Amino acid sequence: MKIIVVGAGVLGVSVARQLAVAGQDVLLLDQRGAGTGTTATTFAWTNSSRKPDPNYHRLNLAGMEEHARLAEQLRGAPSYFPSGALQWADAANEQRLADNVERLRTLGYPAHWVTSDEAARTAGGLRVPATVKSIAHFPSEGYVLPDRFVNNLLADAEQHGATLAIGEVVAIKDGPERVSVTLAGGEECTGDRVVLAAGRWTQRLAARAGIDVPMVTDVGRGAQTVGLLGYARSPQLDLRCVIHGPGLNLRPEADGHTVLQALDLNAHVDPADPPSEDGDIASTLARRFCALLPAPGRAPEIDLRIGLRSLPADGHTVAGYASAQSRVYCLVSHSGITLAPILGRLVAAEITTDQEQDLLGAFRPTRFTGVRRSDIEVDQHVTSLGEQ
């Protein structure tokens, strides 16, 4: 079977790899290169911490478990780290954290309270602020180094015969016998199936094939899609797990670097006018980071990046054929890093065997058929402790 995967972000590469491993003829297309879209600007925390929908919670749990299995199969430098995560709350966030810990415990999700001293030992290289009132530890969570992860997946996919090509897809034709994609230069590629895994570009490309995948598309100042990350090159830390605090989230990056995220600052970020390295937003991020360092020192060196999230309108993953007759399989999710391994395996299984996978049953694009967008759209601004 010839399968064209449109989009070489973490989801597209994961599916391409699984299809190639299964012996399919796979062409992976991307307009810029593997992992250069949303995947390149993600906090990359693996979790199912605040997923109240039961089906979505189960899918994310399966994603976390699949990461561990996949890590044993992939070659290359380690890219998945089951480090655990800490969430620490001040007075304003204490009840919110307590309620979520209790909810997760009833679901059997590992969560327990720790002291400041225990948290400091778990985190490594950080000072717990005196304003922190309570701290929860989530030992099953972790993080991914996205560039390494995509490179490892792609290398394995290519080793199994998949081909990556650079080209901007401008049209998809869903026919009864074959499906084709047209590139910006006029070239047409045909196959038996197309997997549309184009991230935040999914709605536009799907519409050109007559498929409705409602997504949040606003990319203006403070939009739901906008997320700012800081990449701290110095000081180098021995940070050992993911941290969520009232004013700053942190995760380890390669070579002792640290990824920083301050959710409340997203409201002030305009992708058309990015914040400067010496402006107010950068200064606020640096000040909050310094407040967590164990000793004063030189001002940190922080590079700013703006990410644009891939947000289906109802907040949940989309995975499935556009209709019973369609040859176009739609795949998009906000939880791409957590879900990539499990979606790769399940989607490949559905395509190659025509057998529906139970975990994906609630996430079909057909759920949008005949439904008004206003009835399904949810606010996906992230501003509170433990959100992403």
Side-chain angles (χ1 to χ4, degrees):
M1 188 184 298
K2 174 65 176 291
I3 302 166
I4 302 168
V5 180
V6 180
V10 68
L11 293 184
V13 176
S14 295
V15 174
R17 173 192 172 271
Q18 288 283 3
L19 288 167
V21 169
Q24 307 304 313
D25 182 3
V26 180
L27 173 61
L28 180 61
L29 293 171
D30 196 272
Q31 58 184 333
R32 295 185 182 89
T36 58
T38 299
T39 300
T41 51
T42 172
F43 191 64
W45 166 41
T46 59
N47 76 97
S48 190
S49 179
R50 291 192 181 271
K51 309 292 194 304
D53 179 87
N55 293 313
Y56 199 39
H57 179 70
R58 283 194 292 271
L59 185 61
N60 278 268
L61 285 179
M64 296 164 68
E65 294 168 357
E66 194 74 14
H67 263 291
R69 287 191 286 269
L70 182 59
E72 297 179 355
Q73 302 170 20
L74 291 180
R75 298 178 181 177
S79 59
Y80 165 64
F81 301 86
S83 63
L86 293 167
Q87 292 186 25
W88 52 49
D90 57 11
N93 291 278
E94 191 172 16
Q95 189 59 53
R96 174 180 170 79
L97 178 58
D99 291 344
N100 197 47
V101 167
E102 179 60 27
R103 181 185 68 85
L104 291 172
R105 280 177 162 177
T106 64
L107 297 173
Y109 191 88
H112 60 267
W113 299 107
V114 295
T115 66
S116 293
D117 288 344
E118 290 171 330
R121 289 194 294 272
T122 299
L126 286 185
R127 183 175 62 84
V128 180
T131 55
V132 167
K133 301 295 184 182
S134 59
I135 305 172
H137 183 222
F138 303 89
S140 64
E141 297 176 359
Y143 67 94
V144 166
L145 299 182
D147 53 346
R148 283 191 194 174
F149 187 45
V150 169
N151 289 340
N152 291 346
L153 287 168
L154 180 60
D156 201 52
E158 291 178 329
Q159 184 178 1
H160 285 87
T163 300
L164 171 66
I166 304 302
E168 180 184 359
V169 174
V170 296
I172 300 173
K173 185 177 180 181
D174 191 3
E177 301 296 331
R178 302 279 283 175
V179 62
S180 65
V181 302
T182 303
L183 304 183
E187 180 184 357
E188 186 175 77
C189 305
T190 62
D192 299 291
R193 299 286 189 276
V194 162
V195 179
L196 181 54
R200 62 181 183 270
W201 296 276
T202 296
Q203 177 175 297
R204 173 170 55 84
L205 285 175
R208 293 177 181 177
I211 301 167
D212 183 26
V213 181
M215 297 186 65
V216 181
T217 56
D218 180 14
V219 294
R221 179 185 178 91
Q224 299 174 59
T225 55
V226 175
L228 179 72
L229 293 177
Y231 288 75
R233 291 176 282 117
S234 71
Q236 294 188 349
L237 299 181
D238 181 28
L239 185 62
R240 300 169 191 165
C241 71
V242 179
I243 307 290
H244 291 81
L248 194 67
N249 301 333
L250 310 92
R251 76 154 168 86
E253 185 50 271
D255 302 320
H257 299 174
T258 307
V259 179
L260 311 174
Q261 180 187 60
L263 297 177
D264 61 308
L265 298 183
N266 291 339
H268 308 289
V269 175
D270 184 354
D273 184 21
S276 65
E277 301 290 341
D278 58 355
D280 290 343
I281 288 177
S283 297
T284 299
L285 199 62
R287 184 176 66 253
R288 294 181 186 180
F289 184 38
C290 287
L292 302 180
L293 299 178
R298 293 189 308 169
E301 298 176 281
I302 302 174
D303 299 324
L304 300 181
R305 297 184 198 173
I306 297 175
L308 295 173
R309 298 179 173 97
S310 301
L311 299 179
D314 64 356
H316 292 155
T317 296
V318 177
Y321 289 105
S323 69
Q325 297 76 37
S326 180
R327 291 176 176 270
V328 177
Y329 195 108
C330 300
L331 181 64
V332 62
S333 179
H334 171 45
S335 302
I337 290 292
T338 297
L339 295 180
I342 191 63
L343 288 177
R345 179 167 66 80
L346 296 180
V347 171
E350 291 199 328
I351 291 172
T352 57
T353 69
D354 287 326
Q355 297 294 314
E356 292 193 356
Q357 304 296 303
D358 291 343
L359 277 173
L360 300 183
F363 303 106
R364 305 307 186 189
T366 50
R367 70 183 186 265
F368 302 120
T369 304
V371 178
R372 294 181 303 178
R373 179 162 180 149
S374 59
D375 291 337
I376 56 100
E377 195 165 20
V378 296
D379 184 357
Q380 298 180 67
H381 282 99
V382 288
T383 59
S384 301
L385 181 68
E387 292 183 335
Q388 226 13 240

